[in-house]
């Protein structure tokens, strides 16, 4: 099983939210989600938790792309623009620092027009345990 398949299947919360990984490379990942009525908050726009879930799925992919079991330690998200029903959101994650224990990553979520919706940064912790996957993609 690939890392992409493992996370798309195993991250049940992200899967149930409609988020899915479409690309995974060492230190890089893309996840996508289309905003539906189930993602809306009381103000009629995409709920922040849905945006965080999408960004977090991409963060999980790049954090684990080095072959070691890695968990998030801290995330900061800044919401810049609302997303509405029908928006196709793309989370592009890059590993800014490939530290052997504490990698640092940046995730930018854009809509189908390329407009920046939110930015998340993440710090993770790499354990000694190997991840069991055949390949990334």
């Amino acid at each position: 099983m690939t890392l992409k398949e493992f996370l798309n299947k195993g991250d049940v919360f992200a899967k149930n939210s409609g988020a899915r990984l479409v690309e995974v490379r060492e230190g890089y990942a893309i996840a996508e989600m289309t905003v539906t009525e189930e993602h809306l908050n009381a103000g009629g726009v995409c709920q922040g938790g849905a945006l965080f879930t999408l960004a977090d799925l991409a963060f999980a992919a790049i954090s684990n792309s080095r072959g070691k079991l890695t968990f998030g330690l801290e995330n900061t998200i800044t919401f810049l623009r609302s997303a509405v029903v029908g928006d196709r959101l793309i989370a592009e994650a890059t590993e800014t620092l490939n530290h052997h224990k504490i990698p640092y990553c940046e995730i930018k979520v854009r809509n189908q027009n390329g407009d920046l919706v939110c930015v998340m940064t993440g710090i993770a912790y790499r354990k000694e345990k190997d991840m069991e996957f055949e390949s990334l993609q």
Side-chain angles (χ1 to χ4, degrees):
M1 180 178 295
T2 68
L3 178 60
K4 183 172 97 172
E5 292 168 336
F6 176 76
L7 290 172
N8 277 336
K9 181 180 179 182
D11 192 327
V12 178
F13 188 82
K15 181 173 75 172
N16 289 340
S17 297
R20 68 181 183 89
L21 288 165
V22 295
E23 183 177 349
V24 180
R25 292 182 278 158
E26 270 194 359
Y28 182 83
I30 293 179
E32 294 181 345
M33 178 181 78
T34 298
V35 178
T36 66
E37 297 220 358
E38 288 76 27
H39 295 114
L40 299 184
N41 63 20
V45 297
C46 188
Q47 209 266 351
L51 295 169
F52 183 90
T53 296
L54 174 64
D56 190 53
L57 180 62
F59 177 52
I62 59 171
S63 296
N64 286 284
S65 70
R66 303 292 178 175
K68 295 288 185 187
L69 183 61
T70 307
F71 294 101
L73 285 177
E74 179 181 347
N75 296 94
T76 301
I77 192 164
T78 303
F79 303 105
L80 304 169
R81 172 180 274 113
S82 295
V84 297
V85 170
D87 278 350
R88 184 172 150 264
L89 302 176
I90 301 102
E92 182 179 33
T94 54
E95 186 179 64
T96 306
L97 176 65
N98 176 24
H99 188 273
H100 69 284
K101 280 287 187 194
I102 306 185
Y104 178 82
C105 306
E106 297 177 61
I107 303 92
K108 293 180 179 177
V109 177
R110 298 179 187 277
N111 65 18
Q112 68 279 357
N113 301 319
D115 300 323
L116 198 56
V117 174
C118 63
V119 177
M120 186 173 92
T121 58
I123 299 170
Y125 179 75
R126 272 198 187 117
K127 300 185 71 102
E128 295 296 323
K129 182 178 179 179
D130 290 336
M131 285 286 291
E132 302 289 330
F133 53 82
E134 297 166 5
S135 65
L136 298 175
Q137 230 8 51

